[in-house]
Amino acid sequence: FDIPSMELKNISWRDRWHVVEGSGGHRGEDVDGEGIAMLPSGAVFVSHEASFVYRLPSWNYWSHATELPTQPVGVLPDYVARGLVSNLAFESLAVRPGTSPWDSPLLILGLEGPLSRDFQRVRRLLEVNATS
């Protein structure tokens, strides 16, 4: 915040979770979470700087867990996967809710930097169907 008179006080964390790649007893690497988004259905997703988007377990699981295993959502197109630049990948995550029963919600990812073959000023947004 760039407002000198504004400050945050008395913040306490009620719960804390460790987000890791993998599920089913296989513990992977820590997820470098850069963005988080929740669908109206309550499904929660997190973007990972170096790889893609992961779905987190349902809220019921969170109440008794200290680690949250993840499931990858989809696969990156080859031109994106091959063009990612280290530490300039998935920086933000947002949801565009479906506008009708036939319209699936979308996860919208913003890339922090250009792909390796892009001009330096290019920034990309990727859309991912959140229900598949």
Side-chain angles (χ1 to χ4, degrees):
F1 300 105
D2 195 21
I3 303 171
S5 63
M6 178 185 253
E7 51 185 275
L8 301 173
K9 292 184 177 183
N10 300 323
I11 296 176
S12 62
W13 297 101
R14 194 181 82 206
D15 295 307
R16 182 172 69 178
W17 300 274
H18 192 78
V19 180
V20 296
E21 290 181 334
S23 60
H26 173 265
R27 187 186 188 287
E29 299 293 319
D30 293 346
V31 170
D32 179 13
E34 297 288 336
I36 190 165
M38 180 187 290
L39 296 180
S41 67
V44 181
F45 298 85
V46 64
S47 61
H48 185 318
E49 173 87 43
S51 54
F52 200 33
V53 177
Y54 294 96
R55 184 181 187 129
L56 298 177
S58 71
W59 283 110
N60 297 339
Y61 183 91
W62 294 41
S63 64
H64 66 274
T66 57
E67 283 192 353
L68 299 177
T70 59
Q71 295 177 345
V73 175
V75 176
L76 284 173
D78 282 344
Y79 75 94
V80 175
R82 285 183 276 126
L84 290 177
V85 178
S86 179
N87 204 32
L88 292 175
F90 304 112
E91 191 67 22
S92 62
L93 183 62
V95 172
R96 189 213 39 116
T99 55
S100 73
W102 305 277
D103 187 21
S104 297
L106 295 175
L107 296 171
I108 301 170
L109 292 100
L111 272 73
E112 181 178 6
L115 296 177
S116 60
R117 294 183 179 165
D118 288 341
F119 290 107
Q120 289 302 305
R121 291 185 174 191
V122 170
R123 299 297 182 268
R124 293 178 183 252
L125 294 175
L126 301 175
E127 294 180 345
V128 178
N129 183 324
T131 58
S132 60

